[in-house]
Amino acid sequence: MRIPLIAGNWKMNMTCESGKKLAKAIAEGIGDTDVEIAVCCPFPMLFGIADALRGTPIRLGAQNMHWEDSGAYTGEVSAAMLTEAGTTYVILGHSERRHVFGESDEWVQKKLCKAIESELVPILCIGETLEEREQEQTENVLEKQLEMSLKSVAANNAERIVIAYEPVWAIGTGKTATPQQAAEAAEFIRSWLVNKYDNEVSEKIRILYGGSVKPDNASEIMESEEIDGALVGGASLKVEDFIGIINF
Ligand code: 13P
């Protein structure tokens, strides 16, 4: 049985003081739940949010990292820095990294390997643009992103990875993939994983959906057996909305 994961991606939306309040309010509001919960915050907030989350079941995540251990990489942050701050998850290859900051599949692959080696849990984001969907290229795009990102990841390490299917056209737009579109993409990802690894490994990997997930669409999107949770942007900034999604 895969444990569902609801991860909030706070992006660049607040400073540490408001982040701490939000983290505490979420922790107070969740009650008993079988769902794993994480909040992924900007680098300077990691230590502060780790403090706010201490003693709660909510895990800490980061939104990016570099693949090198150290060196002259101005503006970058290493895996060891994330683990020192108490980080469990790291989002890699988010579409905003790929499309706004020009991150390549090759970079994502290097980051993924380093995250695994550093015992972080990578949340690997993949997804097609609207143009690619309209040209019926969705599966080709997902396949290429999976192939490139996971090319040197062995089966025993692959089990810990979380894959987030985030169609670029659904991110921050209020347009959600239909439950059928989300399910089809997740099924495609699962069958790709079966081919690359095997059934046993594939069954352990969690596949999330991300893109305008709200409390009122969360349960229908997560109805598919292949979808094991959500990566939530905008709605993770509001306590009631995020808790509403957790209680899907
Ligand atoms: P929204 O939920 O705001 O569409 O963002 C999704 C996302 O990018 C999560 O990583």
Side-chain angles (χ1 to χ4, degrees):
M1 259 306 271
R2 296 182 293 267
I3 299 169
L5 169 65
I6 304 292
N9 177 4
W10 289 356
K11 306 194 181 182
M12 198 180 73
N13 281 309
M14 69 193 96
T15 55
C16 197
E17 283 315 305
S18 13
K20 282 186 197 167
K21 282 189 198 133
L22 178 58
K24 285 187 177 148
I26 296 167
E28 276 160 22
I30 49 177
D32 267 352
T33 175
D34 296 335
V35 174
E36 203 173 308
I37 303 159
V39 292
C40 303
C41 66
F43 296 139
M45 297 165 61
L46 286 170
F47 283 94
I49 303 302
D51 240 8
L53 294 178
R54 196 151 296 126
T56 80
I58 304 172
R59 305 203 180 178
L60 183 65
Q63 300 173 8
N64 188 19
M65 57 167 255
H66 195 268
W67 60 85
E68 292 290 351
D69 289 329
S70 62
Y73 302 103
T74 303
E76 293 292 333
V77 166
S78 73
M81 294 172 189
L82 299 187
T83 42
E84 186 183 43
T87 308
T88 302
Y89 290 98
V90 59
I91 297 175
L92 295 176
H94 190 278
S95 84
E96 284 144 22
R97 299 297 324 161
R98 294 175 189 267
H99 296 283
V100 184
F101 299 100
E103 258 189 37
S104 65
D105 284 323
E106 197 193 336
W107 286 14
V108 177
Q109 186 252 341
K110 289 186 187 172
K111 292 178 181 200
L112 192 83
C113 291
K114 180 52 77 176
I116 290 169
E117 186 191 311
S118 310
E119 302 199 342
L120 290 160
V121 179
I123 302 179
L124 168 67
C125 299
I126 57 173
E128 81 290 358
T129 62
L130 183 58
E131 197 184 359
E132 288 161 343
R133 175 161 282 271
E134 284 172 351
Q135 291 170 353
E136 300 183 0
Q137 290 302 309
T138 300
E139 292 189 355
N140 291 340
V141 171
L142 298 181
E143 181 166 34
K144 179 169 166 274
Q145 290 175 334
L146 287 166
E147 253 163 27
M148 293 288 293
S149 317
L150 298 179
K151 86 176 168 202
S152 39
V153 177
N156 61 327
N157 288 327
E159 296 176 358
R160 316 178 29 226
I161 296 174
V162 176
I163 297 178
Y165 168 60
E166 296 210 310
V168 179
W169 48 272
I171 295 177
T173 57
K175 273 192 218 159
T176 322
T178 62
Q180 193 190 341
Q181 287 170 325
E184 279 169 7
E187 281 158 24
F188 175 79
I189 294 167
R190 186 83 60 204
S191 61
W192 187 90
L193 292 168
V194 174
N195 276 334
K196 160 106 181 155
Y197 300 108
D198 58 29
N199 213 33
E200 203 185 323
V201 172
S202 147
E203 281 303 313
K204 289 188 181 147
I205 298 177
R206 287 180 289 184
I207 300 175
L208 313 183
Y209 168 81
S212 300
V213 176
K214 307 277 181 257
D216 56 2
N217 61 23
S219 49
E220 58 177 22
I221 284 174
M222 285 182 273
E223 221 160 69
S224 161
E225 277 186 12
E226 303 304 349
I227 299 183
D228 308 305
L231 184 54
V232 186
S236 73
L237 305 175
K238 296 191 197 113
V239 184
E240 316 79 60
D241 285 0
F242 194 52
I243 288 174
I245 295 169
I246 291 165
N247 293 333
F248 73 94

